[in-house]
Amino acid sequence: MTVLGPGYAALPGGKGANQAVAAALDGASAAFAGAVGADAMAEVALAGLRGAGVDLSRLATVAAPTACAAVCVDPEGRNQIAVGSGANLAARVAQVEDAALGPATILLLQMEVPAAENAALVRRARARGARILLNLAPAGAMPPEALRALDLLVANEHEAAWLAARLGCGADAAGLHRALGIGVAVTLGEAGAEAATAAGAIRVPAFPVRAVDTTGAGDAWCGVLAAALDRGLPLEAAMRRASAAAALACTRPGAAAAMPAAAETDRLLA
């Protein structure tokens, strides 16, 4: 079936890139490791990262085409996304050196690169003492030992249900926490977000906004959460800040282009 739309725009995106942009705009010193092709789409993909001042010294340029996503947004701001992975599949753990994985580092991973590379980086980061966050998006299999080595797993309600079905546990944060023995945060859209850790349960509300495009909301949440934790905020305060940033991202079109600046998030929190 063919569906007609009024137009289109070529905008920067990619889950890891969006999250790095969100973290940098929220004040973190952010570095991005990934891969792009030697093509015109690379310039589009990297525009948001460069504009936010993200360190790209660990970026690889490979023979495969730069990854691209077709994002269709309906009048209520809901989206459907199809991704052509391309160069994302060439991202390798060796692009991140051991010196970057010490106790002062928060490592934020997502699932648009090969799971085996993520798992290998988790093992190295755990050995070096880094704090490790994985956004299980898009949902995909990770070795159980890599999941259990995380400090925090972040999933939306659909990804949480996917993982819970494979673990044979409840799909809420508490159920996943009990099954894995790690901190788990689950984002719930307009219902807010919840987390379960060894310290207990957390629930934060969403900020009500009129959604224009929800495409980058989860990435805003993850990137700002990582930035807030990096500054030393406790998890509950970091989640509240992440929820404010995600709400703001829903009010504008695009993904990387929708990530809010720290001052915008501050105003909404105030």
Side-chain angles (χ1 to χ4, degrees):
M1 182 175 72
T2 299
V3 178
L4 297 177
Y8 75 94
L11 299 171
K15 295 201 71 66
N18 296 337
Q19 293 172 12
V21 168
L25 292 178
D26 200 56
S29 176
F32 174 78
V36 295
D39 51 29
M41 193 60 71
E43 295 307 308
V44 177
L46 297 176
L49 291 159
R50 287 176 174 147
V54 175
D55 178 356
L56 297 179
S57 60
R58 296 166 185 84
L59 178 74
T61 300
V62 300
T66 301
C68 184
V71 183
C72 297
V73 182
D74 72 12
E76 283 72 47
R78 297 169 300 194
N79 61 65
Q80 289 188 324
I81 305 172
V83 177
S85 293
N88 284 354
L89 301 181
R92 293 293 180 264
V93 64
Q95 292 169 233
V96 182
E97 71 279 14
D98 280 346
L101 297 173
T105 296
I106 286 188
L107 177 67
L108 175 58
L109 303 166
Q110 44 71 42
M111 297 293 289
E112 285 188 342
V113 299
E117 300 298 318
N118 271 341
L121 190 52
V122 167
R123 288 192 291 271
R124 285 180 52 213
R126 175 53 59 225
R128 301 283 298 183
R131 192 171 183 181
I132 312 164
L133 282 60
L134 171 69
N135 178 209
L136 194 73
M142 281 279 286
E145 66 274 14
L147 287 176
R148 292 187 171 91
L150 302 173
D151 291 286
L152 186 69
L153 175 72
V154 180
N156 67 22
E157 54 195 318
H158 307 294
E159 295 147 2
W162 180 93
L163 180 59
R166 282 148 183 79
L167 295 174
C169 66
D172 58 351
L176 290 166
H177 165 64
R178 286 191 295 269
L180 292 169
I182 60 170
V184 176
V186 178
T187 59
L188 303 167
E190 61 187 19
E194 63 177 14
T197 71
I202 298 170
R203 185 77 182 235
V204 299
F207 289 77
V209 294
R210 181 184 175 278
V212 171
D213 182 359
T214 60
T215 303
D219 295 334
W221 202 93
C222 292
V224 171
L225 180 81
L229 292 173
D230 188 56
R231 291 197 295 274
L233 267 66
L235 181 58
E236 184 170 0
M239 288 174 60
R240 180 169 170 78
R241 185 170 186 85
S243 293
L248 289 168
C250 291
T251 66
R252 57 196 75 170
M259 302 297 106
E264 296 177 283
T265 304
D266 290 339
R267 285 194 292 271
L268 183 55
L269 286 167

